[in-house]
Amino acid sequence: QQPVQSPQAVILREGEDAVINCSSSKALYSVHWYRQKHGEAPVFLMILLKGGEQKGHDKISASFNEKKQQSSLYLTASQLSYSGTYFCGTTGNQFYFGTGTSLTVIP
Amino acid sequence: GAVVSQHPSRVICKSGTSVKIECRSLDFQATTMFWYRQFPKQSLMLMATSNEGSKATYEQGVEKDKFLINHASLTLSTLTVTSAHPEDSSFYICSARDRGQLGQPQHFGDGTRLSIL
């Protein structure tokens, strides 16, 4: 039931772009995206409620393809502060986190 | 904004001890709270869904008798790790959903780092 994310890990130089994908074997009612720094609680980034919805703030955006049961997170012009592990999360009666993507931004 | 308080933040204790972790929603009513466990470099794995006034729903593979969950009020859920052993050492984190707010983000506690010696 856990969504699968890809890639598992990515290393970027500052200013580069990245895409993180989240794929579920079950129907998605909504998709959440979180970022977690080591040893800390996850921090909410955004939620997408409808298929086809796209959202973004700052240089981080996401899309939700309900039919394909997929969501993607886009990070553009990455900053050092973007480093962390990114998780998608899917809701129904329970809330499951994806497998996670470790993102490291280097100078 | 909405805040979830989790206590304690860190516990170190001997094998065989039972440990209770509290999760409180401070400014909203949480009919549903979730408990997760995270091992190093792994994802947050859902252990159980805690529903106010009823029994918790445990995920497959999670021992109900070992991880006791009580959700006695709309603002408090507790997780008790009974007779903890070193393999139970992990990062435990709770989250809560505002009543009737299915489309809203989860609010997370800061987590509890449990170390069993």
Side-chain angles (χ1 to χ4, degrees):
Chain A
Q1 304 203 37
Q2 183 179 37
V4 176
Q5 290 179 231
S6 63
Q8 285 186 307
V10 59
I11 300 175
L12 301 173
R13 289 199 178 276
E14 257 186 303
E16 290 183 337
D17 302 340
V19 180
I20 299 172
N21 300 303
C22 172
S23 182
S24 174
S25 60
K26 296 204 166 195
L28 297 176
Y29 300 103
S30 67
V31 178
H32 301 214
W33 283 98
Y34 292 83
R35 176 172 58 214
Q36 185 183 31
K37 302 276 186 179
H38 179 68
E40 298 178 6
V43 172
F44 172 75
L45 294 176
M46 66 188 76
I47 180 173
L48 298 102
L49 298 175
K50 299 176 186 176
E53 184 174 16
Q54 295 193 48
K55 268 191 180 178
H57 58 82
D58 223 358
K59 296 187 173 70
I60 300 176
S61 62
S63 63
F64 178 21
N65 188 323
E66 193 174 11
K67 287 183 181 177
K68 290 187 178 179
Q69 298 170 183
Q70 294 174 346
S71 177
S72 295
L73 185 72
Y74 307 92
L75 300 100
T76 58
S78 58
Q79 307 167 17
L80 294 175
S81 60
Y82 286 4
S83 293
T85 303
Y86 289 78
F87 294 100
C88 62
T90 63
T91 58
N93 289 325
Q94 286 81 24
F95 185 84
Y96 295 101
F97 282 97
T99 50
T101 297
S102 172
L103 186 138
T104 304
V105 181
I106 58 175
Chain B
V3 176
V4 171
S5 172
Q6 186 172 339
H7 179 80
S9 58
R10 188 173 186 97
V11 180
I12 302 173
C13 56
K14 293 181 179 179
S15 185
T17 307
S18 291
V19 178
K20 181 187 278 190
I21 302 170
E22 291 188 349
C23 182
R24 292 181 186 273
S25 56
L26 297 183
D27 58 1
F28 66 97
Q29 293 183 327
T31 50
T32 304
M33 290 186 174
F34 303 99
W35 287 96
Y36 298 87
R37 178 170 54 184
Q38 185 177 37
F39 292 108
K41 299 192 185 239
Q42 294 187 22
S43 182
L44 297 100
M45 299 304 294
L46 180 65
M47 298 175 67
T49 302
S50 170
N51 300 298
E52 186 264 337
S54 64
K55 290 184 179 180
T57 304
Y58 289 82
E59 293 298 301
Q60 197 170 13
V62 177
E63 299 174 60
K64 300 178 184 181
D65 294 333
K66 182 163 188 65
F67 300 99
L68 301 179
I69 290 173
N70 184 283
H71 193 157
S73 76
L74 284 170
T75 58
L76 175 65
S77 176
T78 60
L79 168 68
T80 302
V81 184
T82 61
S83 187
H85 289 97
E87 58 267 28
D88 298 321
S89 298
S90 188
F91 185 62
Y92 293 84
I93 191 165
C94 69
S95 73
R97 189 162 60 196
D98 201 340
R99 189 175 193 171
Q101 298 292 323
L102 275 180
Q104 296 302 310
Q106 301 286 326
H107 302 290
F108 285 90
D110 288 334
T112 298
R113 192 157 299 283
L114 177 63
S115 300
I116 307 297
L117 306 176

PDB file of all heavy atoms in Angstrom, chain A residues 16-46:
ATOM      1  N   GLU A  16      20.449  23.540 -10.143  1.00  0.00           N
ATOM      2  CA  GLU A  16      19.920  22.516 -11.039  1.00  0.00           C
ATOM      3  C   GLU A  16      18.483  22.144 -10.657  1.00  0.00           C
ATOM      4  O   GLU A  16      18.014  22.464  -9.571  1.00  0.00           O
ATOM      5  CB  GLU A  16      20.818  21.269 -10.992  1.00  0.00           C
ATOM      6  CG  GLU A  16      22.179  21.487 -11.641  1.00  0.00           C
ATOM      7  CD  GLU A  16      23.028  20.224 -11.643  1.00  0.00           C
ATOM      8  OE1 GLU A  16      22.796  19.325 -10.801  1.00  0.00           O
ATOM      9  OE2 GLU A  16      23.936  20.145 -12.496  1.00  0.00           O
ATOM     10  N   ASP A  17      17.831  21.473 -11.594  1.00  0.00           N
ATOM     11  CA  ASP A  17      16.439  21.085 -11.390  1.00  0.00           C
ATOM     12  C   ASP A  17      16.341  19.594 -11.072  1.00  0.00           C
ATOM     13  O   ASP A  17      17.245  18.814 -11.405  1.00  0.00           O
ATOM     14  CB  ASP A  17      15.608  21.365 -12.644  1.00  0.00           C
ATOM     15  CG  ASP A  17      15.654  22.827 -13.064  1.00  0.00           C
ATOM     16  OD1 ASP A  17      15.989  23.682 -12.220  1.00  0.00           O
ATOM     17  OD2 ASP A  17      15.354  23.102 -14.244  1.00  0.00           O
ATOM     18  N   ALA A  18      15.236  19.205 -10.445  1.00  0.00           N
ATOM     19  CA  ALA A  18      15.009  17.790 -10.151  1.00  0.00           C
ATOM     20  C   ALA A  18      13.521  17.481 -10.208  1.00  0.00           C
ATOM     21  O   ALA A  18      12.682  18.360  -9.977  1.00  0.00           O
ATOM     22  CB  ALA A  18      15.557  17.433  -8.775  1.00  0.00           C
ATOM     23  N   VAL A  19      13.229  16.234 -10.524  1.00  0.00           N
ATOM     24  CA  VAL A  19      11.850  15.751 -10.514  1.00  0.00           C
ATOM     25  C   VAL A  19      11.795  14.495  -9.671  1.00  0.00           C
ATOM     26  O   VAL A  19      12.617  13.588  -9.835  1.00  0.00           O
ATOM     27  CB  VAL A  19      11.343  15.418 -11.939  1.00  0.00           C
ATOM     28  CG1 VAL A  19       9.903  14.912 -11.860  1.00  0.00           C
ATOM     29  CG2 VAL A  19      11.443  16.625 -12.835  1.00  0.00           C
ATOM     30  N   ILE A  20      10.841  14.447  -8.780  1.00  0.00           N
ATOM     31  CA  ILE A  20      10.631  13.269  -7.944  1.00  0.00           C
ATOM     32  C   ILE A  20       9.246  12.723  -8.253  1.00  0.00           C
ATOM     33  O   ILE A  20       8.265  13.474  -8.267  1.00  0.00           O
ATOM     34  CB  ILE A  20      10.733  13.623  -6.442  1.00  0.00           C
ATOM     35  CG1 ILE A  20      12.127  14.179  -6.123  1.00  0.00           C
ATOM     36  CG2 ILE A  20      10.427  12.402  -5.584  1.00  0.00           C
ATOM     37  CD1 ILE A  20      12.248  14.742  -4.711  1.00  0.00           C
ATOM     38  N   ASN A  21       9.194  11.437  -8.516  1.00  0.00           N
ATOM     39  CA  ASN A  21       7.935  10.809  -8.883  1.00  0.00           C
ATOM     40  C   ASN A  21       7.387   9.931  -7.775  1.00  0.00           C
ATOM     41  O   ASN A  21       8.137   9.325  -7.009  1.00  0.00           O
ATOM     42  CB  ASN A  21       8.131   9.964 -10.153  1.00  0.00           C
ATOM     43  CG  ASN A  21       8.588  10.813 -11.319  1.00  0.00           C
ATOM     44  OD1 ASN A  21       7.936  11.771 -11.699  1.00  0.00           O
ATOM     45  ND2 ASN A  21       9.753  10.468 -11.881  1.00  0.00           N
ATOM     46  N   CYS A  22       6.079   9.867  -7.732  1.00  0.00           N
ATOM     47  CA  CYS A  22       5.380   9.082  -6.708  1.00  0.00           C
ATOM     48  C   CYS A  22       4.305   8.280  -7.421  1.00  0.00           C
ATOM     49  O   CYS A  22       3.467   8.857  -8.136  1.00  0.00           O
ATOM     50  CB  CYS A  22       4.765  10.022  -5.696  1.00  0.00           C
ATOM     51  SG  CYS A  22       3.680   9.253  -4.469  1.00  0.00           S
ATOM     52  N   SER A  23       4.323   6.981  -7.232  1.00  0.00           N
ATOM     53  CA  SER A  23       3.383   6.124  -7.953  1.00  0.00           C
ATOM     54  C   SER A  23       2.698   5.178  -6.977  1.00  0.00           C
ATOM     55  O   SER A  23       3.344   4.560  -6.135  1.00  0.00           O
ATOM     56  CB  SER A  23       4.141   5.323  -9.018  1.00  0.00           C
ATOM     57  OG  SER A  23       3.255   4.527  -9.747  1.00  0.00           O
ATOM     58  N   SER A  24       1.389   5.065  -7.123  1.00  0.00           N
ATOM     59  CA  SER A  24       0.622   4.220  -6.209  1.00  0.00           C
ATOM     60  C   SER A  24      -0.063   3.095  -6.968  1.00  0.00           C
ATOM     61  O   SER A  24      -0.512   3.280  -8.097  1.00  0.00           O
ATOM     62  CB  SER A  24      -0.417   5.066  -5.479  1.00  0.00           C
ATOM     63  OG  SER A  24      -1.267   4.245  -4.700  1.00  0.00           O
ATOM     64  N   SER A  25      -0.169   1.950  -6.319  1.00  0.00           N
ATOM     65  CA  SER A  25      -0.883   0.828  -6.927  1.00  0.00           C
ATOM     66  C   SER A  25      -2.378   0.925  -6.649  1.00  0.00           C
ATOM     67  O   SER A  25      -3.174   0.184  -7.219  1.00  0.00           O
ATOM     68  CB  SER A  25      -0.342  -0.497  -6.386  1.00  0.00           C
ATOM     69  OG  SER A  25      -0.510  -0.543  -4.984  1.00  0.00           O
ATOM     70  N   LYS A  26      -2.734   1.851  -5.771  1.00  0.00           N
ATOM     71  CA  LYS A  26      -4.146   2.034  -5.426  1.00  0.00           C
ATOM     72  C   LYS A  26      -4.592   3.427  -5.864  1.00  0.00           C
ATOM     73  O   LYS A  26      -3.782   4.311  -6.096  1.00  0.00           O
ATOM     74  CB  LYS A  26      -4.353   1.880  -3.926  1.00  0.00           C
ATOM     75  CG  LYS A  26      -4.029   0.502  -3.402  1.00  0.00           C
ATOM     76  CD  LYS A  26      -4.767   0.212  -2.116  1.00  0.00           C
ATOM     77  CE  LYS A  26      -4.697  -1.263  -1.786  1.00  0.00           C
ATOM     78  NZ  LYS A  26      -5.676  -1.653  -0.772  1.00  0.00           N
ATOM     79  N   ALA A  27      -5.892   3.591  -5.928  1.00  0.00           N
ATOM     80  CA  ALA A  27      -6.439   4.890  -6.319  1.00  0.00           C
ATOM     81  C   ALA A  27      -6.007   5.961  -5.313  1.00  0.00           C
ATOM     82  O   ALA A  27      -5.971   5.721  -4.111  1.00  0.00           O
ATOM     83  CB  ALA A  27      -7.961   4.817  -6.384  1.00  0.00           C
ATOM     84  N   LEU A  28      -5.665   7.106  -5.864  1.00  0.00           N
ATOM     85  CA  LEU A  28      -5.237   8.219  -5.023  1.00  0.00           C
ATOM     86  C   LEU A  28      -6.364   9.228  -4.891  1.00  0.00           C
ATOM     87  O   LEU A  28      -6.909   9.692  -5.885  1.00  0.00           O
ATOM     88  CB  LEU A  28      -4.014   8.911  -5.645  1.00  0.00           C
ATOM     89  CG  LEU A  28      -2.743   8.072  -5.774  1.00  0.00           C
ATOM     90  CD1 LEU A  28      -1.660   8.872  -6.490  1.00  0.00           C
ATOM     91  CD2 LEU A  28      -2.255   7.636  -4.406  1.00  0.00           C
ATOM     92  N   TYR A  29      -6.696   9.561  -3.663  1.00  0.00           N
ATOM     93  CA  TYR A  29      -7.734  10.567  -3.439  1.00  0.00           C
ATOM     94  C   TYR A  29      -7.115  11.948  -3.321  1.00  0.00           C
ATOM     95  O   TYR A  29      -7.712  12.951  -3.667  1.00  0.00           O
ATOM     96  CB  TYR A  29      -8.531  10.222  -2.179  1.00  0.00           C
ATOM     97  CG  TYR A  29      -9.202   8.880  -2.280  1.00  0.00           C
ATOM     98  CD1 TYR A  29      -8.684   7.772  -1.636  1.00  0.00           C
ATOM     99  CD2 TYR A  29     -10.344   8.716  -3.062  1.00  0.00           C
ATOM    100  CE1 TYR A  29      -9.285   6.527  -1.758  1.00  0.00           C
ATOM    101  CE2 TYR A  29     -10.951   7.472  -3.186  1.00  0.00           C
ATOM    102  CZ  TYR A  29     -10.415   6.386  -2.536  1.00  0.00           C
ATOM    103  OH  TYR A  29     -11.003   5.163  -2.663  1.00  0.00           O
ATOM    104  N   SER A  30      -5.949  11.972  -2.804  1.00  0.00           N
ATOM    105  CA  SER A  30      -5.186  13.212  -2.718  1.00  0.00           C
ATOM    106  C   SER A  30      -3.732  12.828  -2.513  1.00  0.00           C
ATOM    107  O   SER A  30      -3.422  11.695  -2.150  1.00  0.00           O
ATOM    108  CB  SER A  30      -5.670  14.091  -1.554  1.00  0.00           C
ATOM    109  OG  SER A  30      -5.387  13.471  -0.322  1.00  0.00           O
ATOM    110  N   VAL A  31      -2.854  13.756  -2.799  1.00  0.00           N
ATOM    111  CA  VAL A  31      -1.427  13.507  -2.625  1.00  0.00           C
ATOM    112  C   VAL A  31      -0.827  14.644  -1.817  1.00  0.00           C
ATOM    113  O   VAL A  31      -1.070  15.819  -2.109  1.00  0.00           O
ATOM    114  CB  VAL A  31      -0.705  13.397  -3.979  1.00  0.00           C
ATOM    115  CG1 VAL A  31       0.796  13.178  -3.747  1.00  0.00           C
ATOM    116  CG2 VAL A  31      -1.269  12.252  -4.793  1.00  0.00           C
ATOM    117  N   HIS A  32      -0.067  14.284  -0.825  1.00  0.00           N
ATOM    118  CA  HIS A  32       0.656  15.264  -0.024  1.00  0.00           C
ATOM    119  C   HIS A  32       2.143  15.116  -0.315  1.00  0.00           C
ATOM    120  O   HIS A  32       2.612  14.017  -0.595  1.00  0.00           O
ATOM    121  CB  HIS A  32       0.453  15.003   1.472  1.00  0.00           C
ATOM    122  CG  HIS A  32      -0.960  15.034   1.933  1.00  0.00           C
ATOM    123  ND1 HIS A  32      -1.322  15.497   3.186  1.00  0.00           N
ATOM    124  CD2 HIS A  32      -2.127  14.635   1.352  1.00  0.00           C
ATOM    125  CE1 HIS A  32      -2.625  15.383   3.332  1.00  0.00           C
ATOM    126  NE2 HIS A  32      -3.138  14.864   2.243  1.00  0.00           N
ATOM    127  N   TRP A  33       2.851  16.201  -0.198  1.00  0.00           N
ATOM    128  CA  TRP A  33       4.310  16.161  -0.303  1.00  0.00           C
ATOM    129  C   TRP A  33       4.928  16.778   0.951  1.00  0.00           C
ATOM    130  O   TRP A  33       4.484  17.844   1.413  1.00  0.00           O
ATOM    131  CB  TRP A  33       4.784  16.907  -1.548  1.00  0.00           C
ATOM    132  CG  TRP A  33       4.582  16.130  -2.813  1.00  0.00           C
ATOM    133  CD1 TRP A  33       3.555  16.236  -3.707  1.00  0.00           C
ATOM    134  CD2 TRP A  33       5.449  15.102  -3.326  1.00  0.00           C
ATOM    135  NE1 TRP A  33       3.721  15.345  -4.740  1.00  0.00           N
ATOM    136  CE2 TRP A  33       4.873  14.638  -4.531  1.00  0.00           C
ATOM    137  CE3 TRP A  33       6.650  14.534  -2.889  1.00  0.00           C
ATOM    138  CZ2 TRP A  33       5.460  13.632  -5.317  1.00  0.00           C
ATOM    139  CZ3 TRP A  33       7.227  13.547  -3.656  1.00  0.00           C
ATOM    140  CH2 TRP A  33       6.635  13.107  -4.853  1.00  0.00           C
ATOM    141  N   TYR A  34       5.952  16.086   1.468  1.00  0.00           N
ATOM    142  CA  TYR A  34       6.645  16.524   2.669  1.00  0.00           C
ATOM    143  C   TYR A  34       8.148  16.456   2.443  1.00  0.00           C
ATOM    144  O   TYR A  34       8.634  15.675   1.638  1.00  0.00           O
ATOM    145  CB  TYR A  34       6.301  15.625   3.865  1.00  0.00           C
ATOM    146  CG  TYR A  34       4.879  15.747   4.341  1.00  0.00           C
ATOM    147  CD1 TYR A  34       3.852  15.039   3.718  1.00  0.00           C
ATOM    148  CD2 TYR A  34       4.553  16.570   5.415  1.00  0.00           C
ATOM    149  CE1 TYR A  34       2.539  15.148   4.154  1.00  0.00           C
ATOM    150  CE2 TYR A  34       3.252  16.688   5.864  1.00  0.00           C
ATOM    151  CZ  TYR A  34       2.251  15.974   5.221  1.00  0.00           C
ATOM    152  OH  TYR A  34       0.961  16.098   5.662  1.00  0.00           O
ATOM    153  N   ARG A  35       8.848  17.253   3.198  1.00  0.00           N
ATOM    154  CA  ARG A  35      10.315  17.175   3.222  1.00  0.00           C
ATOM    155  C   ARG A  35      10.741  16.950   4.670  1.00  0.00           C
ATOM    156  O   ARG A  35      10.237  17.597   5.580  1.00  0.00           O
ATOM    157  CB  ARG A  35      10.957  18.459   2.695  1.00  0.00           C
ATOM    158  CG  ARG A  35      12.481  18.458   2.786  1.00  0.00           C
ATOM    159  CD  ARG A  35      13.089  19.666   2.087  1.00  0.00           C
ATOM    160  NE  ARG A  35      12.613  20.914   2.621  1.00  0.00           N
ATOM    161  CZ  ARG A  35      12.420  22.021   1.874  1.00  0.00           C
ATOM    162  NH1 ARG A  35      12.667  22.003   0.579  1.00  0.00           N
ATOM    163  NH2 ARG A  35      11.998  23.140   2.435  1.00  0.00           N
ATOM    164  N   GLN A  36      11.677  16.039   4.834  1.00  0.00           N
ATOM    165  CA  GLN A  36      12.158  15.736   6.173  1.00  0.00           C
ATOM    166  C   GLN A  36      13.662  15.929   6.237  1.00  0.00           C
ATOM    167  O   GLN A  36      14.402  15.378   5.422  1.00  0.00           O
ATOM    168  CB  GLN A  36      11.790  14.294   6.564  1.00  0.00           C
ATOM    169  CG  GLN A  36      12.158  13.940   7.993  1.00  0.00           C
ATOM    170  CD  GLN A  36      11.852  12.490   8.339  1.00  0.00           C
ATOM    171  OE1 GLN A  36      11.913  11.609   7.489  1.00  0.00           O
ATOM    172  NE2 GLN A  36      11.525  12.239   9.599  1.00  0.00           N
ATOM    173  N   LYS A  37      14.085  16.695   7.215  1.00  0.00           N
ATOM    174  CA  LYS A  37      15.515  16.815   7.497  1.00  0.00           C
ATOM    175  C   LYS A  37      15.865  15.746   8.529  1.00  0.00           C
ATOM    176  O   LYS A  37      15.026  15.318   9.307  1.00  0.00           O
ATOM    177  CB  LYS A  37      15.836  18.208   8.054  1.00  0.00           C
ATOM    178  CG  LYS A  37      15.435  19.353   7.140  1.00  0.00           C
ATOM    179  CD  LYS A  37      16.475  19.653   6.101  1.00  0.00           C
ATOM    180  CE  LYS A  37      16.107  20.901   5.311  1.00  0.00           C
ATOM    181  NZ  LYS A  37      17.122  21.238   4.300  1.00  0.00           N
ATOM    182  N   HIS A  38      17.113  15.359   8.540  1.00  0.00           N
ATOM    183  CA  HIS A  38      17.554  14.267   9.412  1.00  0.00           C
ATOM    184  C   HIS A  38      17.173  14.517  10.875  1.00  0.00           C
ATOM    185  O   HIS A  38      17.480  15.553  11.442  1.00  0.00           O
ATOM    186  CB  HIS A  38      19.070  14.099   9.281  1.00  0.00           C
ATOM    187  CG  HIS A  38      19.613  13.013  10.146  1.00  0.00           C
ATOM    188  ND1 HIS A  38      19.342  11.680   9.921  1.00  0.00           N
ATOM    189  CD2 HIS A  38      20.379  13.055  11.255  1.00  0.00           C
ATOM    190  CE1 HIS A  38      19.927  10.966  10.835  1.00  0.00           C
ATOM    191  NE2 HIS A  38      20.574  11.762  11.655  1.00  0.00           N
ATOM    192  N   GLY A  39      16.477  13.526  11.454  1.00  0.00           N
ATOM    193  CA  GLY A  39      16.140  13.597  12.876  1.00  0.00           C
ATOM    194  C   GLY A  39      14.977  14.512  13.214  1.00  0.00           C
ATOM    195  O   GLY A  39      14.671  14.706  14.387  1.00  0.00           O
ATOM    196  N   GLU A  40      14.334  15.053  12.185  1.00  0.00           N
ATOM    197  CA  GLU A  40      13.230  15.976  12.450  1.00  0.00           C
ATOM    198  C   GLU A  40      11.921  15.422  11.904  1.00  0.00           C
ATOM    199  O   GLU A  40      11.897  14.451  11.166  1.00  0.00           O
ATOM    200  CB  GLU A  40      13.529  17.335  11.801  1.00  0.00           C
ATOM    201  CG  GLU A  40      14.775  18.006  12.344  1.00  0.00           C
ATOM    202  CD  GLU A  40      15.054  19.327  11.640  1.00  0.00           C
ATOM    203  OE1 GLU A  40      14.243  19.778  10.819  1.00  0.00           O
ATOM    204  OE2 GLU A  40      16.117  19.907  11.930  1.00  0.00           O
ATOM    205  N   ALA A  41      10.838  16.058  12.282  1.00  0.00           N
ATOM    206  CA  ALA A  41       9.533  15.672  11.755  1.00  0.00           C
ATOM    207  C   ALA A  41       9.404  16.156  10.310  1.00  0.00           C
ATOM    208  O   ALA A  41      10.049  17.120   9.909  1.00  0.00           O
ATOM    209  CB  ALA A  41       8.435  16.295  12.612  1.00  0.00           C
ATOM    210  N   PRO A  42       8.570  15.496   9.540  1.00  0.00           N
ATOM    211  CA  PRO A  42       8.337  15.958   8.170  1.00  0.00           C
ATOM    212  C   PRO A  42       7.691  17.337   8.162  1.00  0.00           C
ATOM    213  O   PRO A  42       6.892  17.671   9.038  1.00  0.00           O
ATOM    214  CB  PRO A  42       7.367  14.918   7.600  1.00  0.00           C
ATOM    215  CG  PRO A  42       7.444  13.753   8.517  1.00  0.00           C
ATOM    216  CD  PRO A  42       7.801  14.299   9.860  1.00  0.00           C
ATOM    217  N   VAL A  43       8.037  18.101   7.147  1.00  0.00           N
ATOM    218  CA  VAL A  43       7.462  19.441   6.977  1.00  0.00           C
ATOM    219  C   VAL A  43       6.577  19.432   5.739  1.00  0.00           C
ATOM    220  O   VAL A  43       7.008  19.000   4.660  1.00  0.00           O
ATOM    221  CB  VAL A  43       8.578  20.497   6.837  1.00  0.00           C
ATOM    222  CG1 VAL A  43       7.995  21.858   6.471  1.00  0.00           C
ATOM    223  CG2 VAL A  43       9.377  20.587   8.129  1.00  0.00           C
ATOM    224  N   PHE A  44       5.374  19.904   5.901  1.00  0.00           N
ATOM    225  CA  PHE A  44       4.410  19.905   4.807  1.00  0.00           C
ATOM    226  C   PHE A  44       4.845  20.863   3.697  1.00  0.00           C
ATOM    227  O   PHE A  44       5.241  22.000   3.964  1.00  0.00           O
ATOM    228  CB  PHE A  44       3.045  20.325   5.361  1.00  0.00           C
ATOM    229  CG  PHE A  44       1.992  20.553   4.316  1.00  0.00           C
ATOM    230  CD1 PHE A  44       1.400  19.480   3.674  1.00  0.00           C
ATOM    231  CD2 PHE A  44       1.597  21.836   3.988  1.00  0.00           C
ATOM    232  CE1 PHE A  44       0.423  19.686   2.716  1.00  0.00           C
ATOM    233  CE2 PHE A  44       0.619  22.054   3.034  1.00  0.00           C
ATOM    234  CZ  PHE A  44       0.028  20.975   2.403  1.00  0.00           C
ATOM    235  N   LEU A  45       4.758  20.399   2.465  1.00  0.00           N
ATOM    236  CA  LEU A  45       5.063  21.245   1.314  1.00  0.00           C
ATOM    237  C   LEU A  45       3.790  21.657   0.584  1.00  0.00           C
ATOM    238  O   LEU A  45       3.537  22.840   0.377  1.00  0.00           O
ATOM    239  CB  LEU A  45       5.998  20.514   0.347  1.00  0.00           C
ATOM    240  CG  LEU A  45       7.408  20.205   0.859  1.00  0.00           C
ATOM    241  CD1 LEU A  45       8.178  19.394  -0.176  1.00  0.00           C
ATOM    242  CD2 LEU A  45       8.148  21.478   1.212  1.00  0.00           C
ATOM    243  N   MET A  46       3.014  20.667   0.178  1.00  0.00           N
ATOM    244  CA  MET A  46       1.767  20.975  -0.509  1.00  0.00           C
ATOM    245  C   MET A  46       0.891  19.741  -0.615  1.00  0.00           C
ATOM    246  O   MET A  46       1.328  18.623  -0.415  1.00  0.00           O
ATOM    247  CB  MET A  46       2.030  21.547  -1.903  1.00  0.00           C
ATOM    248  CG  MET A  46       2.667  20.599  -2.878  1.00  0.00           C
ATOM    249  SD  MET A  46       3.121  21.459  -4.392  1.00  0.00           S
ATOM    250  CE  MET A  46       4.578  22.342  -3.847  1.00  0.00           C
TER     251      MET A  46
END
